[in-house]
Amino acid sequence: MRYRLAVVLALAALLGGCSRPEPRPAPATPQPTPASHTPPPAPTPATSVAAPLPGFVVLTDLDPRIHADIRYATPHNFVGRPITGYREPLCLLTRQAAEALRRVQDAALAGGHSLKVYDCYRPQPAVDDFVAWSKRPDEQQTKAEFYPDLAKNRLFADGYIGAPTAHSRGSTLDLTLVDEPAASQPPYRVGPPLVACTAPRAQRFADNSIDMGTGFDCFDPRAHTADPRIAGTARDNRRLLQRLMTDAGFVNYDREWWHYSLRDEPYPDTFFAAPVDRSSVG
Protein backbone atom coordinates (compact mmCIF):
# COMPACT_ATOMS: atom_id res chain seq x y z
CA MET A 1 0.00 0.00 0.00
CA ARG A 2 2.91 2.38 0.76
CA TYR A 3 4.24 1.78 -2.75
CA ARG A 4 0.82 2.42 -4.28
CA LEU A 5 0.40 5.66 -2.34
CA ALA A 6 3.91 6.77 -3.33
CA VAL A 7 3.07 6.25 -7.00
CA VAL A 8 -0.15 8.29 -6.72
CA LEU A 9 1.61 11.12 -4.92
CA ALA A 10 4.45 11.12 -7.43
CA LEU A 11 2.01 11.49 -10.30
CA ALA A 12 0.23 14.32 -8.52
CA ALA A 13 3.54 16.06 -7.92
CA LEU A 14 4.50 15.76 -11.57
CA LEU A 15 1.29 17.50 -12.53
CA GLY A 16 2.41 20.44 -10.37
CA GLY A 17 -0.51 22.13 -8.59
CA CYS A 18 -2.99 19.98 -10.43
CA SER A 19 -5.09 18.82 -7.51
CA ARG A 20 -8.66 19.81 -6.94
CA PRO A 21 -8.84 22.26 -4.04
CA GLU A 22 -11.13 21.78 -1.09
CA PRO A 23 -14.72 22.86 -1.81
CA ARG A 24 -15.41 26.41 -0.73
CA PRO A 25 -18.49 28.65 -0.79
CA ALA A 26 -19.21 30.47 -4.03
CA PRO A 27 -18.18 34.15 -4.02
CA ALA A 28 -20.80 36.70 -3.01
CA THR A 29 -20.30 38.59 -6.27
CA PRO A 30 -20.24 36.27 -9.31
CA GLN A 31 -16.94 36.54 -11.13
CA PRO A 32 -15.81 34.47 -14.12
CA THR A 33 -12.65 32.51 -13.39
CA PRO A 34 -9.93 32.83 -16.05
CA ALA A 35 -9.28 29.56 -17.82
CA SER A 36 -5.57 29.94 -17.16
CA HIS A 37 -5.97 30.03 -13.37
CA THR A 38 -4.30 27.15 -11.56
CA PRO A 39 -5.86 26.32 -8.15
CA PRO A 40 -3.73 25.65 -5.08
CA PRO A 41 -2.73 22.03 -4.48
CA ALA A 42 -4.97 19.79 -2.39
CA PRO A 43 -3.68 18.42 0.91
CA THR A 44 -1.51 15.34 0.83
CA PRO A 45 -3.44 12.20 1.85
CA ALA A 46 -2.62 11.23 5.41
CA THR A 47 -3.93 7.70 4.98
CA SER A 48 -5.05 5.46 2.14
CA VAL A 49 -7.28 2.61 3.27
CA ALA A 50 -8.37 -0.34 1.11
CA ALA A 51 -11.25 -2.06 2.95
CA PRO A 52 -13.68 -2.17 4.52
CA LEU A 53 -15.34 1.23 4.47
CA PRO A 54 -16.07 2.01 8.13
CA GLY A 55 -19.44 3.57 8.79
CA PHE A 56 -20.38 3.80 5.11
CA VAL A 57 -23.85 3.03 3.75
CA VAL A 58 -25.49 2.54 0.38
CA LEU A 59 -27.42 5.79 -0.02
CA THR A 60 -30.49 4.27 -1.67
CA ASP A 61 -30.76 1.73 1.17
CA LEU A 62 -30.97 4.61 3.63
CA ASP A 63 -33.28 6.69 1.42
CA PRO A 64 -34.78 4.93 -1.62
CA ARG A 65 -36.54 8.14 -2.65
CA ILE A 66 -33.24 9.55 -3.98
CA HIS A 67 -32.52 8.81 -7.65
CA ALA A 68 -29.13 7.56 -8.83
CA ASP A 69 -27.34 7.77 -12.19
CA ILE A 70 -23.80 6.65 -11.34
CA ARG A 71 -22.01 7.77 -14.47
CA TYR A 72 -18.54 6.35 -13.75
CA ALA A 73 -19.97 2.82 -13.72
CA THR A 74 -21.07 3.40 -17.33
CA PRO A 75 -19.52 4.62 -20.61
CA HIS A 76 -21.31 7.96 -20.28
CA ASN A 77 -18.54 10.01 -18.73
CA PHE A 78 -15.58 12.13 -19.82
CA VAL A 79 -13.33 9.06 -20.24
CA GLY A 80 -15.87 7.15 -22.35
CA ARG A 81 -15.83 3.81 -20.51
CA PRO A 82 -16.56 2.45 -17.02
CA ILE A 83 -13.92 3.61 -14.54
CA THR A 84 -11.70 1.29 -12.52
CA GLY A 85 -13.15 0.59 -9.08
CA TYR A 86 -16.81 1.06 -10.00
CA ARG A 87 -18.01 -2.54 -9.79
CA GLU A 88 -21.64 -1.61 -9.15
CA PRO A 89 -23.67 1.54 -9.95
CA LEU A 90 -24.06 2.50 -6.30
CA CYS A 91 -23.76 5.66 -4.23
CA LEU A 92 -21.67 4.88 -1.16
CA LEU A 93 -21.34 7.57 1.50
CA THR A 94 -20.40 7.94 5.13
CA ARG A 95 -23.49 7.59 7.27
CA GLN A 96 -23.15 11.22 8.37
CA ALA A 97 -23.24 12.47 4.78
CA ALA A 98 -26.11 10.14 3.86
CA GLU A 99 -28.18 11.23 6.86
CA ALA A 100 -27.61 14.88 5.95
CA LEU A 101 -28.63 14.13 2.37
CA ARG A 102 -31.84 12.54 3.60
CA ARG A 103 -32.69 15.88 5.20
CA VAL A 104 -31.98 17.60 1.88
CA GLN A 105 -34.33 15.15 0.17
CA ASP A 106 -37.13 15.99 2.62
CA ALA A 107 -36.72 19.68 1.83
CA ALA A 108 -36.48 19.07 -1.92
CA LEU A 109 -39.66 16.98 -1.98
CA ALA A 110 -41.51 19.73 -0.13
CA GLY A 111 -40.79 21.94 -3.15
CA GLY A 112 -41.74 19.35 -5.77
CA HIS A 113 -38.22 18.11 -6.53
CA SER A 114 -36.03 15.13 -5.77
CA LEU A 115 -32.29 14.62 -5.58
CA LYS A 116 -30.38 12.61 -8.16
CA VAL A 117 -26.78 11.60 -7.49
CA TYR A 118 -24.17 11.15 -10.23
CA ASP A 119 -21.17 10.19 -8.11
CA CYS A 120 -20.48 9.71 -4.42
CA TYR A 121 -17.55 7.87 -2.82
CA ARG A 122 -14.79 7.50 -5.43
CA PRO A 123 -12.10 4.90 -4.71
CA GLN A 124 -8.43 5.80 -5.03
CA PRO A 125 -7.96 3.31 -7.95
CA ALA A 126 -10.52 5.36 -9.90
CA VAL A 127 -8.42 8.47 -9.30
CA ASP A 128 -5.37 6.54 -10.49
CA ASP A 129 -7.35 5.65 -13.62
CA PHE A 130 -8.10 9.33 -14.28
CA VAL A 131 -4.43 10.24 -13.85
CA ALA A 132 -3.34 7.47 -16.25
CA TRP A 133 -5.98 8.55 -18.79
CA SER A 134 -4.76 12.14 -18.61
CA LYS A 135 -1.33 10.92 -19.78
CA ARG A 136 -2.76 9.44 -23.00
CA PRO A 137 -3.44 12.41 -25.30
CA ASP A 138 -5.00 10.31 -28.07
CA GLU A 139 -7.89 9.13 -25.87
CA GLN A 140 -10.45 11.88 -26.35
CA GLN A 141 -13.56 9.97 -27.42
CA THR A 142 -15.95 12.18 -25.44
CA LYS A 143 -14.24 15.56 -25.76
CA ALA A 144 -17.06 16.93 -27.93
CA GLU A 145 -19.49 16.53 -25.03
CA PHE A 146 -17.53 17.05 -21.82
CA TYR A 147 -14.70 19.47 -22.63
CA PRO A 148 -15.44 20.86 -26.10
CA ASP A 149 -13.54 24.13 -25.60
CA LEU A 150 -10.74 22.98 -23.31
CA ALA A 151 -7.51 21.15 -24.11
CA LYS A 152 -7.30 17.79 -22.38
CA ASN A 153 -3.96 18.69 -20.82
CA ARG A 154 -5.69 21.52 -18.91
CA LEU A 155 -8.24 19.33 -17.08
CA PHE A 156 -6.04 18.86 -14.00
CA ALA A 157 -4.38 22.27 -14.14
CA ASP A 158 -7.71 24.09 -14.26
CA GLY A 159 -9.12 22.11 -11.33
CA TYR A 160 -11.77 20.04 -13.10
CA ILE A 161 -10.17 16.72 -12.10
CA GLY A 162 -8.22 16.28 -8.89
CA ALA A 163 -5.67 13.84 -7.49
CA PRO A 164 -6.26 13.27 -4.66
CA THR A 165 -9.98 14.06 -4.50
CA ALA A 166 -12.35 14.73 -1.61
CA HIS A 167 -14.65 12.08 -3.12
CA SER A 168 -12.27 9.39 -1.80
CA ARG A 169 -13.01 10.49 1.78
CA GLY A 170 -16.63 9.39 1.46
CA SER A 171 -18.54 12.58 2.28
CA THR A 172 -18.43 14.34 -1.10
CA LEU A 173 -20.88 13.82 -3.91
CA ASP A 174 -22.06 15.11 -7.29
CA LEU A 175 -25.79 15.63 -7.68
CA THR A 176 -28.64 17.54 -9.25
CA LEU A 177 -32.38 18.06 -8.86
CA VAL A 178 -35.16 16.43 -10.87
CA ASP A 179 -38.84 17.18 -10.90
CA GLU A 180 -40.90 14.79 -8.81
CA PRO A 181 -42.27 12.55 -10.14
CA ALA A 182 -39.14 12.25 -12.25
CA ALA A 183 -39.41 12.15 -16.02
CA SER A 184 -38.01 9.10 -17.75
CA GLN A 185 -34.47 9.34 -19.11
CA PRO A 186 -33.49 7.55 -22.33
CA PRO A 187 -30.56 5.16 -21.99
CA TYR A 188 -27.18 6.37 -23.15
CA ARG A 189 -26.04 4.83 -26.44
CA VAL A 190 -22.47 4.84 -27.70
CA GLY A 191 -22.26 5.90 -31.33
CA PRO A 192 -24.59 8.85 -32.05
CA PRO A 193 -22.92 12.27 -32.48
CA LEU A 194 -22.07 13.95 -29.21
CA VAL A 195 -23.49 17.34 -28.26
CA ALA A 196 -21.55 19.84 -26.15
CA CYS A 197 -22.49 19.99 -22.48
CA THR A 198 -22.72 23.77 -22.90
CA ALA A 199 -25.44 23.55 -25.57
CA PRO A 200 -29.04 24.52 -24.72
CA ARG A 201 -30.80 21.93 -22.62
CA ALA A 202 -33.06 20.77 -25.45
CA GLN A 203 -30.01 19.85 -27.55
CA ARG A 204 -27.87 18.11 -24.90
CA PHE A 205 -28.16 14.51 -23.73
CA ALA A 206 -31.69 14.09 -22.44
CA ASP A 207 -30.86 13.99 -18.75
CA ASN A 208 -33.99 14.30 -16.61
CA SER A 209 -32.34 16.91 -14.39
CA ILE A 210 -33.99 20.29 -14.18
CA ASP A 211 -32.07 22.86 -16.23
CA MET A 212 -28.77 23.74 -14.56
CA GLY A 213 -27.29 25.60 -17.52
CA THR A 214 -24.82 22.85 -18.48
CA GLY A 215 -24.67 19.09 -18.31
CA PHE A 216 -22.98 17.17 -15.50
CA ASP A 217 -19.16 16.98 -15.58
CA CYS A 218 -19.05 19.87 -18.02
CA PHE A 219 -15.45 21.08 -17.95
CA ASP A 220 -16.13 24.68 -18.85
CA PRO A 221 -16.30 27.99 -16.92
CA ARG A 222 -20.06 28.00 -17.52
CA ALA A 223 -20.28 25.12 -15.06
CA HIS A 224 -18.88 27.38 -12.31
CA THR A 225 -21.74 27.72 -9.84
CA ALA A 226 -22.00 31.51 -10.04
CA ASP A 227 -20.90 32.05 -13.64
CA PRO A 228 -22.71 35.26 -14.69
CA ARG A 229 -23.58 33.89 -18.13
CA ILE A 230 -26.01 31.44 -16.53
CA ALA A 231 -29.24 33.35 -16.03
CA GLY A 232 -32.97 32.89 -15.63
CA THR A 233 -34.33 29.46 -14.70
CA ALA A 234 -30.95 27.73 -14.76
CA ARG A 235 -29.46 30.27 -12.37
CA ASP A 236 -32.45 29.92 -10.04
CA ASN A 237 -32.14 26.13 -10.12
CA ARG A 238 -28.46 26.28 -9.17
CA ARG A 239 -29.28 28.62 -6.31
CA LEU A 240 -32.05 26.30 -5.14
CA LEU A 241 -29.72 23.30 -5.05
CA GLN A 242 -27.07 25.35 -3.26
CA ARG A 243 -29.53 26.58 -0.64
CA LEU A 244 -30.89 23.10 0.04
CA MET A 245 -27.41 21.63 0.38
CA THR A 246 -25.97 24.51 2.42
CA ASP A 247 -28.87 24.34 4.89
CA ALA A 248 -27.98 20.69 5.54
CA GLY A 249 -24.28 21.37 6.18
CA PHE A 250 -22.74 20.87 2.73
CA VAL A 251 -20.26 23.18 0.98
CA ASN A 252 -20.17 23.71 -2.77
CA TYR A 253 -17.01 23.60 -4.90
CA ASP A 254 -17.51 26.81 -6.84
CA ARG A 255 -16.18 25.50 -10.18
CA GLU A 256 -18.82 22.77 -10.36
CA TRP A 257 -22.48 23.42 -9.65
CA TRP A 258 -22.99 19.70 -8.90
CA HIS A 259 -20.15 19.14 -6.38
CA TYR A 260 -20.75 19.26 -2.60
CA SER A 261 -18.86 18.11 0.50
CA LEU A 262 -20.15 17.68 4.03
CA ARG A 263 -18.60 20.46 6.06
CA ASP A 264 -18.04 18.30 9.17
CA GLU A 265 -16.95 15.14 7.38
CA PRO A 266 -15.84 12.25 9.61
CA TYR A 267 -12.68 11.32 7.64
CA PRO A 268 -11.04 14.62 6.59
CA ASP A 269 -7.57 13.05 6.23
CA THR A 270 -8.37 9.52 5.01
CA PHE A 271 -8.57 8.51 1.36
CA PHE A 272 -10.18 5.11 0.86
CA ALA A 273 -9.44 2.56 -1.87
CA ALA A 274 -12.16 -0.11 -1.54
CA PRO A 275 -14.22 -0.55 -4.73
CA VAL A 276 -17.73 0.81 -5.24
CA ASP A 277 -19.39 -2.46 -4.39
CA ARG A 278 -21.99 -3.49 -1.82
CA SER A 279 -19.45 -5.85 -0.27
CA SER A 280 -17.26 -2.83 0.63
CA VAL A 281 -19.90 -1.55 3.08
CA GLY A 282 -19.68 -3.13 6.51
Side-chain angles (χ1 to χ4, degrees), residues 228-250:
R229 290 168 293 182
I230 303 301
T233 299
R235 177 192 58 206
D236 293 343
N237 289 341
R238 289 187 185 188
R239 289 177 175 173
L240 172 61
L241 178 62
Q242 188 170 26
R243 177 177 60 78
L244 292 170
M245 295 295 287
T246 300
D247 287 350
F250 289 91

Side-chain angles (χ1 to χ4, degrees), residues 163-220:
T165 173
H167 279 275
S168 298
R169 303 197 297 257
S171 297
T172 292
L173 68 156
D174 299 331
L175 79 169
T176 188
L177 291 167
V178 298
D179 288 324
E180 189 62 37
S184 61
Q185 177 174 299
Y188 177 73
R189 293 187 298 115
V190 177
L194 300 178
V195 177
C197 57
T198 54
R201 183 186 182 213
Q203 299 174 25
R204 306 193 293 264
F205 172 75
D207 189 306
N208 61 358
S209 170
I210 61 176
D211 188 11
M212 292 291 186
T214 74
F216 164 63
D217 255 2
C218 188
F219 302 146
D220 187 276

Side-chain angles (χ1 to χ4, degrees), residues 81-233:
R81 56 166 171 77
I83 304 303
T84 299
Y86 284 81
R87 295 180 182 172
E88 295 186 71
L90 297 174
C91 171
L92 308 185
L93 287 172
T94 61
R95 180 170 291 277
Q96 293 91 328
E99 293 282 4
L101 209 62
R102 180 160 59 181
R103 296 193 294 274
V104 179
Q105 177 71 354
D106 289 338
L109 288 172
H113 298 101
S114 177
L115 299 177
K116 184 174 83 167
V117 293
Y118 292 116
D119 189 39
C120 301
Y121 161 69
R122 182 182 307 163
Q124 186 61 44
V127 180
D128 299 346
D129 196 3
F130 289 162
V131 172
W133 170 82
S134 75
K135 300 287 190 177
R136 299 190 288 268
D138 293 338
E139 293 185 17
Q140 302 199 50
Q141 296 92 324
T142 61
K143 173 178 172 57
E145 179 175 356
F146 292 99
Y147 51 108
D149 300 316
L150 185 68
K152 180 179 176 179
N153 62 9
R154 295 299 306 173
L155 294 179
F156 273 88
D158 288 357
Y160 292 109
I161 312 173
T165 173
H167 279 275
S168 298
R169 303 197 297 257
S171 297
T172 292
L173 68 156
D174 299 331
L175 79 169
T176 188
L177 291 167
V178 298
D179 288 324
E180 189 62 37
S184 61
Q185 177 174 299
Y188 177 73
R189 293 187 298 115
V190 177
L194 300 178
V195 177
C197 57
T198 54
R201 183 186 182 213
Q203 299 174 25
R204 306 193 293 264
F205 172 75
D207 189 306
N208 61 358
S209 170
I210 61 176
D211 188 11
M212 292 291 186
T214 74
F216 164 63
D217 255 2
C218 188
F219 302 146
D220 187 276
R222 281 165 283 194
H224 297 182
T225 307
D227 189 278
R229 290 168 293 182
I230 303 301
T233 299

